């Protein structure tokens, strides 16, 4: 069962409302970092990491992305992708179908500034296939849908399409953000998502997460 924290604000409603507002008013030169929900601090992430089950990856037999219904409708014609684009960008303009038609996004994985939604992917911090190998193979479809559209925790982030596709379904021991300045946040977020959804890790994955948490100030 997904665990929650009382001290964390429930952001889903706020994000949906934000998606309906007009473009943010900021300096045209500003490309601020993504506004993904804050994962717990490094000390808490280390505790969570220590509680994760270490085991070999599960079989990929039966896996399909369709078993994780993603980009679900969130109301007012906005799906999950469009809400994250609005949340993580600046000067985001949306049409009557809630599609982002303008904006500025800062991809924290590789420090790229993006000026078109076509250059932006919404990354699942813990990829769907990785989740399948880590325990989601035994979930219900409803639980997989909740995981794939989780706006409350640090599971979704707008990044460059290039970095997202380079990452694929790899774990941190196989792929890390090219920008090492983001390793602390990445490890905190990845660890927290795995802890919240009670997913397992491999030993190399756990070791790498520990090393990445060592970069936290």
């Amino acid at each position: 069962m997904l665990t929650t924290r009382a001290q964390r604000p429930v952001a889903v409603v706020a994000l949906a409302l934000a998606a309906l507002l007009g473009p943010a008013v900021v300096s045209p030169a500003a490309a601020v970092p993504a506004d993904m929900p804050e994962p717990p601090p490094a000390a808490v992430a280390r505790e969570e990491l220590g509680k994760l089950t270490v085991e070999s990856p599960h079989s990929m037999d039966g896996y399909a992305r369709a078993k994780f219904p993603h980009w679900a409708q969130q109301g007012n014609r906005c799906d999950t992708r469009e809400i994250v684009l609005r949340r993580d960008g600046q000067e985001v303009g949306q049409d009557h179908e809630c599609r982002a038609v303008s904006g500025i996004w800062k991809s924290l994985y590789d420090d790229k500034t993006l000026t078109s939604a076509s250059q932006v992917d919404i990354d699942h911090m813990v990829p769907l296939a990785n989740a399948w190998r880590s325990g989601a193979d035994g979930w219900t479809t409803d639980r997989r849908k909740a995981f794939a559209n989780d706006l409350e925790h640090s599971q979704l982030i707008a990044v460059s399409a290039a970095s997202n596709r380079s990452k694929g379904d790899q774990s941190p021991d196989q792929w890390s953000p090219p920008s090492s300045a983001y390793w602390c946040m990445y490890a905190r977020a990845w660890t927290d998502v795995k802890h919240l959804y009670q997913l397992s890790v491999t030993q190399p994955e756990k070791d790498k997460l520990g090393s990445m948490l060592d970069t936290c100030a």
Side-chain angles (χ1 to χ4, degrees):
M1 181 176 183
L2 174 61
T3 57
T4 59
R5 294 186 178 82
Q7 66 268 33
R8 287 190 183 182
V10 178
V12 177
V13 174
L15 292 171
L17 291 174
L20 303 178
L21 300 178
V25 179
V26 297
S27 166
V32 301
D35 197 22
M36 173 181 77
E38 182 80 8
V44 175
R46 287 186 183 281
E47 293 178 4
E48 293 180 342
L49 183 61
K51 295 176 182 177
L52 296 180
T53 298
V54 178
E55 63 181 17
S56 299
H58 298 190
S59 170
M60 287 296 287
D61 289 349
Y63 170 76
R65 283 182 65 84
K67 292 187 177 181
F68 293 80
H70 50 291
W71 309 160
Q73 287 296 312
Q74 301 289 345
N76 297 296
R77 299 183 179 181
C78 296
D79 64 21
T80 304
R81 170 180 163 82
E82 297 301 339
I83 286 180
V84 178
L85 284 172
R86 177 65 181 85
R87 182 196 73 187
D88 288 2
Q90 293 292 309
E91 297 185 336
V92 178
Q94 294 172 295
D95 65 16
H96 68 284
E97 296 291 337
C98 198
R99 294 171 298 201
V101 294
S102 62
I104 304 171
W105 294 267
K106 176 66 178 293
S107 171
L108 297 180
Y109 284 2
D110 50 9
D111 289 330
K112 291 182 178 178
T113 297
L114 312 169
T115 56
S116 170
S118 64
Q119 301 171 309
V120 182
D121 277 0
I122 307 305
D123 180 45
H124 290 94
M125 179 63 63
V126 175
L128 306 183
N130 183 282
W132 180 272
R133 295 192 296 268
S134 305
D137 54 337
W139 291 355
T140 64
T141 299
D142 284 346
R143 184 167 171 79
R144 293 187 195 119
K145 181 178 181 179
F147 176 83
N149 296 277
D150 189 345
L151 292 166
E152 183 179 353
H153 305 103
S154 47
Q155 166 65 344
L156 298 172
I157 183 172
V159 298
S160 70
S163 65
N164 184 47
R165 293 164 197 183
S166 173
K167 172 183 174 179
D169 66 355
Q170 299 178 92
S171 55
D173 55 300
Q174 301 165 324
W175 186 92
S176 301
S179 174
S180 59
Y182 196 65
W183 284 11
C184 172
M185 179 69 79
Y186 192 82
R188 288 164 54 202
W190 182 288
T191 300
D192 190 47
V193 170
K194 286 235 161 169
H195 177 260
L196 287 165
Y197 283 93
Q198 300 178 354
L199 295 170
S200 63
V201 290
T202 65
Q203 189 61 56
E205 178 184 353
K206 183 176 181 179
D207 292 343
K208 180 64 175 183
L209 287 166
S211 297
M212 293 174 81
L213 287 172
D214 287 341
T215 67
C216 297

